[in-house]
Amino acid sequence: MTEGDAHDVAGIDADAVTSWLAERAELSEPLHFALIAGGHSNLTYRVTDAAGRRWVLRRPPLSHLLAGAHDMVREHRLLASLAETDVPTPPVVGLCEDAAVNGADFYVTEFIDGSVLRTHADAAAVRPAARGALCSRLVECLAAIHATDLDATGLCDLGRSQDYVARQLHVWQRQFNAMTMRELPIIERVHDALVATIPPQRDATLVHGDYRLDNCLVTDAGDVAAVLDWEIATLGDPLADLGFLLGYWVEPGDSFTPLGHDATTAEGFWTRDELVSAYVSATGRDISSIRWHFAFASWRLACILEGVHARYVGGANPQIPPEVDLFPRSVVSLAERAEEVLATC
């Protein structure tokens, strides 16, 4: 956490936000705001009042925004819609669409206790004997996302449900070209190979779009307290979502860590193959194309990291985590992995 004076936190108008929140929650002034380090897109703040009550505030980056991204209204809608489902999410407090309050849309949720596991040291928050249960729970939560009743939750119009992967390939190639300052022909080469071999989409479900261990709050008993960061959730191919989880997941024998995060190399965490097996058991889905989706996830993550690095260099986020220095090399390593995996599909 990075603490700041209540009136000196980038991205927060403390007086205006305090007045807004006081109309929606019981609180004791003054409020103190702290940027929660670790996010690479939208900004997340811990809000604490004088009595120790806590909330979480989410808003877009301060600059260098991508068209169509960072939609707080949409993210708030998702959390509110999932409140009565089996997907664990933070309860919402309110949404502000008045830019006069804080310069941009934002929303507030209740604060959920739990740990974010990124590093090998972070993994110590969960006992080795409970890490297998955590892996099982991660898969169960992903299966629950994919089993969401779209009609009951009102999410059936969240986005186009078909041709998800083709649209993703187009979007992320465009985003990469808009953000990069380098010549990386491997990105175009892998993109073209992926486009030429897209497997058929058998199902259309809610997809998180960025499902990974460190986008979940976990308990020391190995449970998932909440799934976070819903900004790119939409309707699409659930196998792509599983592929994204695999793309972030690091095993002890891997030659690189995309985000510099190695929590899943700690004793007791499952392998990628074990995650896939558990997903099949939970859903019964045909995962014969999962290696293709792993390759796609690796390429997509390369495009994402190129953009994240560019946003930090451009000043979109007030703090630059140390792992951002790894991203330019990670982009290349991920693209190379995608190309190698595609060659075996």
Side-chain angles (χ1 to χ4, degrees):
M1 297 289 182
T2 298
E3 301 293 346
D5 183 84
H7 292 267
D8 189 28
V9 178
I12 296 293
D13 183 326
D15 291 336
V17 172
T18 297
S19 296
W20 179 89
L21 186 56
E23 296 177 358
R24 293 158 179 82
E26 180 182 351
L27 58 83
S28 300
E29 298 186 33
L31 295 182
H32 290 267
F33 301 86
L35 181 66
I36 300 175
H40 296 309
S41 184
N42 292 330
L43 303 180
T44 305
Y45 301 82
R46 184 183 61 191
V47 184
T48 308
D49 79 350
R53 288 178 288 247
R54 295 174 294 174
W55 300 267
V56 170
L57 183 150
R58 289 265 287 175
R59 60 150 295 154
L62 304 182
S63 62
H64 222 63
L65 275 66
L66 292 171
H70 322 296
D71 189 338
M72 296 294 98
V73 176
R74 191 171 183 276
E75 194 169 336
H76 173 271
R77 175 195 174 189
L78 274 156
L79 291 176
S81 298
L82 293 171
E84 301 302 322
T85 71
D86 291 333
V87 182
T89 54
V92 297
V93 174
L95 167 72
C96 179
E97 299 180 77
D98 182 358
V101 176
N102 199 46
D105 294 345
F106 68 90
Y107 70 87
V108 173
T109 69
E110 299 290 346
F111 187 94
I112 302 296
D113 284 312
S115 299
V116 174
L117 307 187
R118 293 192 175 97
T119 67
H120 208 274
D122 293 338
V126 179
R127 295 177 296 104
R131 291 170 189 164
L134 172 57
C135 293
S136 178
R137 186 70 179 119
L138 279 171
V139 173
E140 287 175 4
C141 289
L142 184 60
I145 292 170
H146 297 162
T148 298
D149 186 325
L150 300 178
D151 290 323
T153 55
L155 294 175
C156 52
D157 63 346
L158 187 64
R160 290 172 52 195
S161 60
Q162 297 301 319
D163 300 320
Y164 173 73
V165 166
R167 289 183 284 110
Q168 285 277 299
L169 282 162
H170 175 74
V171 166
W172 289 108
Q173 178 74 348
R174 184 185 64 209
Q175 301 284 47
F176 179 88
N177 289 333
M179 302 295 283
T180 190
M181 301 295 290
R182 302 189 286 170
E183 291 292 329
L184 290 175
I186 191 173
I187 294 293
E188 186 75 32
R189 189 166 68 244
V190 174
H191 167 268
D192 292 348
L194 288 165
V195 168
T197 56
I198 297 174
Q201 179 178 328
R202 294 183 172 87
D203 297 301
T205 70
L206 177 65
V207 293
H208 181 276
D210 199 24
Y211 192 77
R212 62 184 198 258
L213 176 60
D214 64 308
N215 271 345
C216 296
L217 289 172
V218 304
T219 70
D220 57 4
D223 196 8
V224 175
V227 179
L228 309 176
D229 289 355
W230 290 85
E231 63 180 289
I232 58 175
T234 187
L235 307 184
D237 191 336
L239 290 190
D241 233 9
L242 177 59
F244 300 153
L245 175 61
L246 302 180
Y248 286 108
W249 201 266
V250 182
E251 297 180 357
D254 288 349
S255 60
F256 70 99
T257 56
L259 301 179
H261 300 165
D262 61 354
T264 56
T265 64
E267 176 189 354
F269 280 100
W270 287 358
T271 64
R272 287 186 287 265
D273 285 346
E274 288 173 314
L275 294 172
V276 171
S277 294
Y279 183 82
V280 172
S281 295
T283 66
R285 285 197 168 91
D286 177 352
I287 50 86
S288 55
S289 63
I290 194 59
R291 284 190 60 76
W292 187 96
H293 285 287
F294 179 48
F296 165 57
S298 299
W299 174 86
R300 192 195 76 147
L301 182 52
C303 295
I304 291 172
L305 294 189
E306 187 78 0
V308 170
H309 185 265
R311 285 198 299 275
Y312 274 113
V313 171
N317 300 61
Q319 294 180 355
I320 302 181
E323 68 265 22
V324 171
D325 289 339
L326 301 174
F327 288 0
R329 177 57 198 165
S330 290
V331 169
V332 176
S333 297
L334 284 160
E336 290 173 344
R337 181 171 76 183
E339 193 165 48
E340 291 169 4
V341 173
L342 271 180
T344 68
C345 289

